[in-house]
Tab-separated table of all heavy atoms in Angstrom:
chain	number	residue	atom	x	y	z
H	28	TYR	N	57.987	2.811	-25.717
H	28	TYR	CA	57.859	1.479	-25.131
H	28	TYR	C	59.147	0.659	-25.244
H	28	TYR	O	59.113	-0.569	-25.156
H	28	TYR	CB	56.712	0.719	-25.801
H	28	TYR	CG	55.387	1.424	-25.725
H	28	TYR	CD1	54.616	1.626	-26.877
H	28	TYR	CD2	54.887	1.904	-24.523
H	28	TYR	CE1	53.390	2.280	-26.813
H	28	TYR	CE2	53.667	2.558	-24.454
H	28	TYR	CZ	52.931	2.742	-25.602
H	28	TYR	OH	51.722	3.393	-25.540
H	29	GLN	N	60.286	1.325	-25.424
H	29	GLN	CA	61.558	0.627	-25.599
H	29	GLN	C	61.843	-0.376	-24.487
H	29	GLN	O	62.314	-1.488	-24.743
H	29	GLN	CB	62.713	1.634	-25.673
H	29	GLN	CG	62.860	2.329	-27.010
H	29	GLN	CD	64.098	3.213	-27.043
H	29	GLN	OE1	64.737	3.450	-26.014
H	29	GLN	NE2	64.450	3.690	-28.212
H	30	ASN	N	61.573	-0.009	-23.266
H	30	ASN	CA	61.934	-0.850	-22.121
H	30	ASN	C	60.764	-1.674	-21.583
H	30	ASN	O	60.889	-2.311	-20.535
H	30	ASN	CB	62.518	0.022	-21.009
H	30	ASN	CG	63.779	0.743	-21.445
H	30	ASN	OD1	64.632	0.169	-22.119
H	30	ASN	ND2	63.907	2.014	-21.073
H	31	ASN	N	59.641	-1.657	-22.300
H	31	ASN	CA	58.477	-2.412	-21.850
H	31	ASN	C	58.555	-3.868	-22.289
H	31	ASN	O	59.260	-4.212	-23.239
H	31	ASN	CB	57.188	-1.783	-22.393
H	31	ASN	CG	56.919	-0.411	-21.811
H	31	ASN	OD1	57.808	0.430	-21.715
H	31	ASN	ND2	55.689	-0.156	-21.432
H	32	LEU	N	57.810	-4.709	-21.619
H	32	LEU	CA	57.750	-6.135	-21.956
H	32	LEU	C	57.081	-6.325	-23.312
H	32	LEU	O	56.037	-5.738	-23.587
H	32	LEU	CB	56.965	-6.882	-20.886
H	32	LEU	CG	56.808	-8.395	-21.108
H	32	LEU	CD1	58.127	-9.103	-20.796
H	32	LEU	CD2	55.684	-8.953	-20.240
H	33	LYS	N	57.696	-7.150	-24.160
H	33	LYS	CA	57.102	-7.515	-25.449
H	33	LYS	C	56.774	-8.997	-25.441
H	33	LYS	O	57.447	-9.795	-24.796
H	33	LYS	CB	58.062	-7.208	-26.605
H	33	LYS	CG	58.198	-5.725	-26.936
H	33	LYS	CD	59.284	-5.083	-26.141
H	33	LYS	CE	59.485	-3.617	-26.505
H	33	LYS	NZ	60.550	-2.988	-25.718
H	34	TYR	N	55.749	-9.375	-26.230
H	34	TYR	CA	55.349	-10.776	-26.268
H	34	TYR	C	54.515	-11.049	-27.510
H	34	TYR	O	54.094	-10.120	-28.212
H	34	TYR	CB	54.563	-11.149	-25.011
H	34	TYR	CG	53.337	-10.304	-24.724
H	34	TYR	CD1	52.077	-10.713	-25.139
H	34	TYR	CD2	53.439	-9.097	-24.032
H	34	TYR	CE1	50.941	-9.942	-24.875
H	34	TYR	CE2	52.314	-8.322	-23.764
H	34	TYR	CZ	51.071	-8.747	-24.183
H	34	TYR	OH	49.958	-7.988	-23.925
H	35	ILE	N	54.296	-12.317	-27.783
H	35	ILE	CA	53.472	-12.708	-28.922
H	35	ILE	C	52.616	-13.900	-28.513
H	35	ILE	O	53.042	-14.747	-27.719
H	35	ILE	CB	54.331	-13.042	-30.160
H	35	ILE	CG1	53.460	-13.138	-31.413
H	35	ILE	CG2	55.136	-14.328	-29.954
H	35	ILE	CD1	54.260	-13.194	-32.700
H	36	CYS	N	51.394	-13.941	-29.037
H	36	CYS	CA	50.479	-15.041	-28.739
H	36	CYS	C	49.686	-15.377	-29.986
H	36	CYS	O	49.716	-14.651	-30.983
H	36	CYS	CB	49.536	-14.667	-27.593
H	36	CYS	SG	48.314	-13.403	-28.053
H	37	ARG	N	48.956	-16.470	-29.932
H	37	ARG	CA	48.071	-16.851	-31.015
H	37	ARG	C	46.642	-16.431	-30.696
H	37	ARG	O	46.257	-16.321	-29.538
H	37	ARG	CB	48.131	-18.356	-31.256
H	37	ARG	CG	49.502	-18.852	-31.667
H	37	ARG	CD	49.415	-20.196	-32.330
H	37	ARG	NE	48.634	-20.143	-33.567
H	37	ARG	CZ	48.585	-21.125	-34.460
H	37	ARG	NH1	49.250	-22.248	-34.236
H	37	ARG	NH2	47.869	-21.010	-35.550
H	38	GLY	N	45.849	-16.205	-31.734
H	38	GLY	CA	44.460	-15.834	-31.535
H	38	GLY	C	44.230	-14.353	-31.710
H	38	GLY	O	45.113	-13.615	-32.138
H	39	ALA	N	43.021	-13.901	-31.334
H	39	ALA	CA	42.626	-12.510	-31.560
H	39	ALA	C	42.094	-11.839	-30.303
H	39	ALA	O	41.445	-10.806	-30.397
H	39	ALA	CB	41.571	-12.447	-32.666
H	40	ARG	N	42.378	-12.418	-29.112
H	40	ARG	CA	41.830	-11.855	-27.874
H	40	ARG	C	42.939	-11.215	-27.039
H	40	ARG	O	43.733	-11.917	-26.393
H	40	ARG	CB	41.134	-12.939	-27.059
H	40	ARG	CG	39.876	-13.489	-27.704
H	40	ARG	CD	39.154	-14.405	-26.751
H	40	ARG	NE	38.767	-13.697	-25.533
H	40	ARG	CZ	38.347	-14.307	-24.426
H	40	ARG	NH1	38.290	-15.630	-24.382
H	40	ARG	NH2	38.002	-13.605	-23.365
H	41	PRO	N	43.014	-9.888	-27.037
H	41	PRO	CA	44.034	-9.207	-26.232
H	41	PRO	C	43.952	-9.516	-24.738
H	41	PRO	O	44.968	-9.518	-24.050
H	41	PRO	CB	43.748	-7.723	-26.496
H	41	PRO	CG	43.053	-7.702	-27.808
H	41	PRO	CD	42.224	-8.940	-27.844
H	42	SER	N	42.764	-9.801	-24.227
H	42	SER	CA	42.585	-9.977	-22.781
H	42	SER	C	43.364	-11.163	-22.231
H	42	SER	O	43.747	-11.174	-21.053
H	42	SER	CB	41.103	-10.140	-22.438
H	42	SER	OG	40.579	-11.316	-23.032
H	43	ILE	N	43.599	-12.184	-23.043
H	43	ILE	CA	44.292	-13.378	-22.562
H	43	ILE	C	45.639	-13.582	-23.249
H	43	ILE	O	46.281	-14.607	-23.078
H	43	ILE	CB	43.423	-14.637	-22.740
H	43	ILE	CG1	43.059	-14.831	-24.215
H	43	ILE	CG2	42.168	-14.547	-21.886
H	43	ILE	CD1	42.294	-16.121	-24.498
H	44	CYS	N	46.070	-12.603	-24.042
H	44	CYS	CA	47.277	-12.765	-24.855
H	44	CYS	C	48.523	-12.969	-23.989
H	44	CYS	O	49.318	-13.884	-24.234
H	44	CYS	CB	47.457	-11.572	-25.784
H	44	CYS	SG	48.764	-11.788	-27.016
H	45	LEU	N	48.724	-12.138	-22.997
H	45	LEU	CA	49.935	-12.247	-22.175
H	45	LEU	C	49.961	-13.563	-21.409
H	45	LEU	O	51.012	-14.204	-21.292
H	45	LEU	CB	50.029	-11.065	-21.209
H	45	LEU	CG	51.279	-11.025	-20.314
H	45	LEU	CD1	52.557	-11.084	-21.151
H	45	LEU	CD2	51.276	-9.784	-19.436
H	46	GLN	N	48.805	-13.981	-20.879
H	46	GLN	CA	48.752	-15.240	-20.132
H	46	GLN	C	49.059	-16.432	-21.035
H	46	GLN	O	49.589	-17.446	-20.567
H	46	GLN	CB	47.370	-15.433	-19.498
H	46	GLN	CG	47.037	-14.435	-18.389
H	46	GLN	CD	46.355	-13.192	-18.925
H	46	GLN	OE1	46.643	-12.744	-20.035
H	46	GLN	NE2	45.439	-12.640	-18.150
H	47	GLN	N	48.752	-16.317	-22.325
H	47	GLN	CA	48.973	-17.420	-23.256
H	47	GLN	C	50.133	-17.139	-24.211
H	47	GLN	O	50.214	-17.732	-25.290
H	47	GLN	CB	47.694	-17.691	-24.049
H	47	GLN	CG	46.519	-18.122	-23.177
H	47	GLN	CD	45.280	-18.453	-23.982
H	47	GLN	OE1	45.255	-18.311	-25.203
H	47	GLN	NE2	44.230	-18.896	-23.304
H	48	ALA	N	51.049	-16.271	-23.816
H	48	ALA	CA	52.160	-15.875	-24.690
H	48	ALA	C	53.035	-17.069	-25.057
H	48	ALA	O	53.356	-17.909	-24.208
H	48	ALA	CB	52.995	-14.798	-24.012
H	49	LEU	N	53.416	-17.136	-26.322
H	49	LEU	CA	54.328	-18.176	-26.796
H	49	LEU	C	55.747	-17.887	-26.357
H	49	LEU	O	56.531	-18.802	-26.116
H	49	LEU	CB	54.261	-18.252	-28.323
H	49	LEU	CG	52.887	-18.603	-28.910
H	49	LEU	CD1	52.889	-18.369	-30.423
H	49	LEU	CD2	52.529	-20.046	-28.595
H	50	ILE	N	56.077	-16.601	-26.262
H	50	ILE	CA	57.405	-16.165	-25.840
H	50	ILE	C	57.326	-14.697	-25.451
H	50	ILE	O	56.478	-13.959	-25.971
H	50	ILE	CB	58.438	-16.389	-26.963
H	50	ILE	CG1	59.869	-16.208	-26.439
H	50	ILE	CG2	58.171	-15.492	-28.161
H	50	ILE	CD1	60.921	-16.678	-27.411
H	51	THR	N	58.186	-14.262	-24.524
H	51	THR	CA	58.242	-12.863	-24.108
H	51	THR	C	59.679	-12.369	-24.160
H	51	THR	O	60.614	-13.165	-24.282
H	51	THR	CB	57.697	-12.671	-22.678
H	51	THR	OG1	58.667	-13.185	-21.738
H	51	THR	CG2	56.364	-13.387	-22.486
H	52	SER	N	59.855	-11.065	-24.039
H	52	SER	CA	61.207	-10.505	-24.045
H	52	SER	C	61.960	-10.805	-22.759
H	52	SER	O	63.176	-10.598	-22.684
H	52	SER	CB	61.145	-8.986	-24.280
H	52	SER	OG	60.281	-8.362	-23.338
H	53	ASP	N	61.275	-11.310	-21.743
H	53	ASP	CA	61.948	-11.766	-20.522
H	53	ASP	C	62.503	-13.170	-20.677
H	53	ASP	O	63.378	-13.588	-19.927
H	53	ASP	CB	60.978	-11.727	-19.328
H	53	ASP	CG	60.742	-10.310	-18.828
H	53	ASP	OD1	61.525	-9.412	-19.194
H	53	ASP	OD2	59.766	-10.101	-18.082
H	54	ASN	N	61.954	-13.917	-21.638
H	54	ASN	CA	62.390	-15.288	-21.890
H	54	ASN	C	62.527	-15.435	-23.395
H	54	ASN	O	61.606	-15.860	-24.081
H	54	ASN	CB	61.373	-16.290	-21.336
H	54	ASN	CG	61.772	-17.720	-21.590
H	54	ASN	OD1	62.936	-18.012	-21.800
H	54	ASN	ND2	60.800	-18.614	-21.588
H	55	LYS	N	63.702	-15.076	-23.930
H	55	LYS	CA	63.847	-14.841	-25.361
H	55	LYS	C	63.869	-16.098	-26.218
H	55	LYS	O	63.779	-15.998	-27.443
H	55	LYS	CB	65.107	-14.012	-25.616
H	55	LYS	CG	65.018	-12.614	-25.017
H	55	LYS	CD	66.208	-11.766	-25.387
H	55	LYS	CE	66.062	-10.355	-24.829
H	55	LYS	NZ	67.206	-9.496	-25.199
H	56	GLU	N	63.990	-17.277	-25.623
H	56	GLU	CA	63.958	-18.511	-26.398
H	56	GLU	C	63.023	-19.507	-25.743
H	56	GLU	O	63.054	-19.700	-24.529
H	56	GLU	CB	65.361	-19.113	-26.544
H	56	GLU	CG	66.265	-18.322	-27.469
H	56	GLU	CD	67.506	-19.112	-27.889
H	56	GLU	OE1	67.371	-20.316	-28.197
H	56	GLU	OE2	68.589	-18.530	-27.886
H	57	ASN	N	62.186	-20.126	-26.562
H	57	ASN	CA	61.239	-21.120	-26.060
H	57	ASN	C	60.961	-22.120	-27.166
H	57	ASN	O	60.114	-21.890	-28.028
H	57	ASN	CB	59.948	-20.457	-25.579
H	57	ASN	CG	58.959	-21.456	-25.021
H	57	ASN	OD1	59.333	-22.556	-24.614
H	57	ASN	ND2	57.686	-21.095	-25.002
H	58	GLY	N	61.710	-23.234	-27.176
H	58	GLY	CA	61.531	-24.244	-28.208
H	58	GLY	C	61.820	-23.712	-29.594
H	58	GLY	O	62.932	-23.266	-29.887
H	59	ARG	N	60.807	-23.701	-30.450
H	59	ARG	CA	60.975	-23.250	-31.836
H	59	ARG	C	60.891	-21.730	-31.981
H	59	ARG	O	61.035	-21.200	-33.086
H	59	ARG	CB	59.910	-23.902	-32.728
H	59	ARG	CG	59.993	-25.410	-32.790
H	59	ARG	CD	58.969	-25.998	-33.759
H	59	ARG	NE	57.598	-25.693	-33.354
H	59	ARG	CZ	56.733	-25.038	-34.115
H	59	ARG	NH1	57.081	-24.609	-35.317
H	59	ARG	NH2	55.496	-24.810	-33.689
H	60	PHE	N	60.665	-21.022	-30.874
H	60	PHE	CA	60.454	-19.578	-30.923
H	60	PHE	C	61.643	-18.820	-30.328
H	60	PHE	O	62.202	-19.223	-29.307
H	60	PHE	CB	59.186	-19.205	-30.162
H	60	PHE	CG	57.932	-19.826	-30.717
H	60	PHE	CD1	57.539	-21.094	-30.324
H	60	PHE	CD2	57.161	-19.145	-31.643
H	60	PHE	CE1	56.392	-21.676	-30.835
H	60	PHE	CE2	56.012	-19.717	-32.161
H	60	PHE	CZ	55.629	-20.987	-31.759
H	61	ARG	N	61.993	-17.720	-30.990
H	61	ARG	CA	63.041	-16.825	-30.477
H	61	ARG	C	62.592	-15.387	-30.680
H	61	ARG	O	62.126	-15.017	-31.768
H	61	ARG	CB	64.376	-17.065	-31.183
H	61	ARG	CG	65.466	-16.086	-30.732
H	61	ARG	CD	66.782	-16.309	-31.439
H	61	ARG	NE	67.733	-15.274	-31.070
H	61	ARG	CZ	68.488	-15.298	-29.971
H	61	ARG	NH1	68.397	-16.325	-29.146
H	61	ARG	NH2	69.332	-14.312	-29.697
H	62	LEU	N	62.744	-14.552	-29.642
H	62	LEU	CA	62.360	-13.138	-29.706
H	62	LEU	C	63.599	-12.261	-29.580
H	62	LEU	O	64.398	-12.438	-28.665
H	62	LEU	CB	61.358	-12.808	-28.602
H	62	LEU	CG	60.694	-11.423	-28.659
H	62	LEU	CD1	59.301	-11.475	-28.027
H	62	LEU	CD2	61.521	-10.355	-27.930
H	63	ASP	N	63.737	-11.315	-30.507
H	63	ASP	CA	64.822	-10.332	-30.480
H	63	ASP	C	64.215	-8.935	-30.542
H	63	ASP	O	63.313	-8.684	-31.352
H	63	ASP	CB	65.777	-10.541	-31.654
H	63	ASP	CG	66.537	-11.857	-31.547
H	63	ASP	OD1	67.404	-11.972	-30.671
H	63	ASP	OD2	66.249	-12.767	-32.358
H	64	ASP	N	64.731	-8.044	-29.694
H	64	ASP	CA	64.192	-6.685	-29.604
H	64	ASP	C	65.241	-5.686	-30.054
H	64	ASP	O	66.276	-5.518	-29.406
H	64	ASP	CB	63.768	-6.396	-28.157
H	64	ASP	CG	63.066	-5.050	-28.013
H	64	ASP	OD1	62.764	-4.430	-29.043
H	64	ASP	OD2	62.823	-4.636	-26.860
H	65	ASP	N	64.984	-5.039	-31.194
H	65	ASP	CA	65.866	-3.994	-31.705
H	65	ASP	C	65.298	-2.647	-31.266
H	65	ASP	O	64.427	-2.083	-31.918
H	65	ASP	CB	65.959	-4.077	-33.229
H	65	ASP	CG	66.988	-3.113	-33.810
H	65	ASP	OD1	67.413	-2.197	-33.082
H	65	ASP	OD2	67.342	-3.270	-34.983
């Protein structure tokens, strides 16, 4: 999954996680959040 989209969300429901993502690897900075992919 090296080249796949990564993201993080709050809560425990996978079905809505991407729609409610706090930040994704396509948008690496969002306010207080920063995503880095090694």
Side-chain angles (χ1 to χ4, degrees):
Y28 303 129
Q29 282 185 350
N30 299 318
N31 293 45
L32 180 75
K33 286 89 177 180
Y34 56 95
I35 193 169
C36 70
R37 298 199 62 168
R40 293 188 60 193
S42 63
I43 59 175
C44 189
L45 182 55
Q46 293 90 326
Q47 298 183 357
L49 299 169
I50 192 169
T51 74
S52 54
D53 285 345
N54 179 22
K55 295 185 177 181
E56 289 195 43
N57 181 22
R59 298 184 298 122
F60 299 86
R61 176 181 174 84
L62 189 151
D63 293 290
D64 186 9
D65 187 345

